[in-house]
Amino acid sequence: MTRITIAKGDGIGPEIMEATLKVLNAAGAALEYDEIEVGEKVYLSGNTSGISNEAWDIIRRNKVFLKSPITTPQGGGYKSLNVTTRKFLGLYANIRPCTSLHPFVQTKHPTMDLVIVRENEEDLYAGIEHQQTDEVIQCLKLISRPGCEKIVRYAFEYAKQYGRKKVTCFSKDNIMKQTDGLFHQVFNEIALEYPEIETEHWIIDIGAALIADSPERFDVIVMANLYGDIVSDIAAQITGSVGLAGSANIGEECAMFEAIHGSAPMIAGQNIANPSGLLQGAIQMLAHIGQVEIAETIQNAWLTTIEQGIHTADIYNESVSTKKVGTQEFADAVIDNLGKKPGELKAVIYEKGSSMVLKKYERKPARNKELVGVDLFIHWAGTNPNELADKIHQLTVESAELSMITNRGIKVYPDGFPETFCTDHWRCRFKNPNGLFTKKQIMDLMGNAEELGLDVIKTENLYHFDGKPAFSLGQGQ
Ligand code: NAD
């Protein structure tokens, strides 16, 4: 028996939860439930996060959370419960299966059946942004080795459990050689542990184009947060059945499962909503906690029901549907089909036996880290880089030589092009031509800059790790 937390949410939430639990119970899922209140009522009671401390305690105790959609009240100040939950519980993986149900749901991609595994915690979503000059704001893209290892390993383990054959990695390491380079490198390293699974890599732009054109060529695709956010919506949309999809948010300790749609307040309370999205989330939950056979049985019963043409109003289509049913009647039809397998749609077969076993991240031994220089970022309203270089040369710190100036990453000194457009945000790189750099040199550079009236807005240390440069060069070098 697994004790899980459920939240019935707002709008259509309670009715789709009732339908989903009915199916889980009829299929013999070994579950006990603790119900918590989240969403609109909690927000409107003055709690800006939409969830009470007591509810958090229950979620953390049970570790598995099945959540109906909630309504976020209009107006400022209310925090997204989904974002808060992901961050607080360390739900690092977002899993979104995108499968066509052709010919029962219209799509241009009848055989599409892929799963997006999106890193959920880091990348540009770390939410670290700063305005540094009048004209420039920065958002930090943080990619960590544990973040990459956890998500990539999850993608491979997922492929194993769900009987999938190939894992593809999307990245943009032709441009972001360090951050996306790490993601790609970790993918290659972990792929070696799964020789039975085919692997491939695409640069994200052409990869996304291939999804839009021929999604059937993909199986499981793993990618960093921002790419996954965008690509998973595209992929779900082109199945033609975005309203039928569920998603899982997985952490090392806790996990949350839900439908991808919202609370649809306009149709609430009328027994017409489609419970399939939440049911799909619940099926992922059962597989996650090791009740894999029951997950498989329900999924095959659900496919059979769709194939029989027993449809809720949102997908009802006279040419393929045989019966228009309400929320609860749809659930009853799925229950009647427990034990059956679809004929036309592909029946699912999941790996039985246990829940996924994910190796915990192990920190690697520290590498040899050497300081070899510094980038001084300067707010300067001039336009001619040679003028700035003249000022920077006056900083005169021993063995600290200006090697280049870039503006938005493009080298503008020495030998810049007068055509290059420059903002007020300049990176001035210093290196020691004779060897290593010191923190004292950095402090002296900053002290001298202050005396000269140069506005240093930040510094970045330049390191070699195990003798290799671990920073980007200026474009144009
Ligand atoms: P929505 O997904 O609720 O509705 C979009 C359209 O799809 C509507 O026409 C709706 O009637 C229909 N629809 C959605 N789910 C359906 C279902 N199961 N069966 C039949 N039709 C369905 O999106 P929205 O209207 O933009 O948002 C409504 C509310 O939901 C907002 O308050 C929003 O903040 C919230 N929301 C919550 C979540 C979540 O809790 N995870 C996600 C998205 C939106």
Side-chain angles (χ1 to χ4, degrees), residues 12 16 67-72 82 243 258-265 267 272-275 314:
I12 58 170
I16 61 173
K67 177 181 149 294
S68 263
I70 58 159
T71 303
T72 311
N82 272 16
E258 59 185 343
I260 70 171
H261 59 71
S263 57
I267 57 165
I272 55 176
N274 191 338
D314 55 309

Side-chain angles (χ1 to χ4, degrees), residues 158-164 283-284 287-288 349-351 356:
Y158 181 96
K160 248 175 81 181
Q161 186 174 42
Y162 285 84
R164 289 181 173 266
I283 291 167
Q284 290 189 63
H288 176 78
I349 303 170
Y350 304 150
E351 190 186 74
M356 253 185 239

Side-chain angles (χ1 to χ4, degrees), residues 229-298:
D229 191 2
I230 299 166
V231 171
S232 65
D233 268 20
I234 297 172
Q237 179 70 24
I238 64 174
T239 61
S241 57
V242 74
L244 309 187
S247 98
N249 293 280
I250 311 285
E252 280 185 335
E253 295 289 327
C254 299
M256 172 174 78
F257 302 85
E258 59 185 343
I260 70 171
H261 59 71
S263 57
M266 298 287 281
I267 57 165
Q270 300 170 42
N271 189 39
I272 55 176
N274 191 338
S276 297
L278 188 62
L279 185 62
Q280 287 301 313
I283 291 167
Q284 290 189 63
M285 174 187 80
L286 289 171
H288 176 78
I289 61 178
Q291 298 188 28
V292 181
E293 271 170 66
I294 295 170
E296 190 182 289
T297 303
I298 299 176

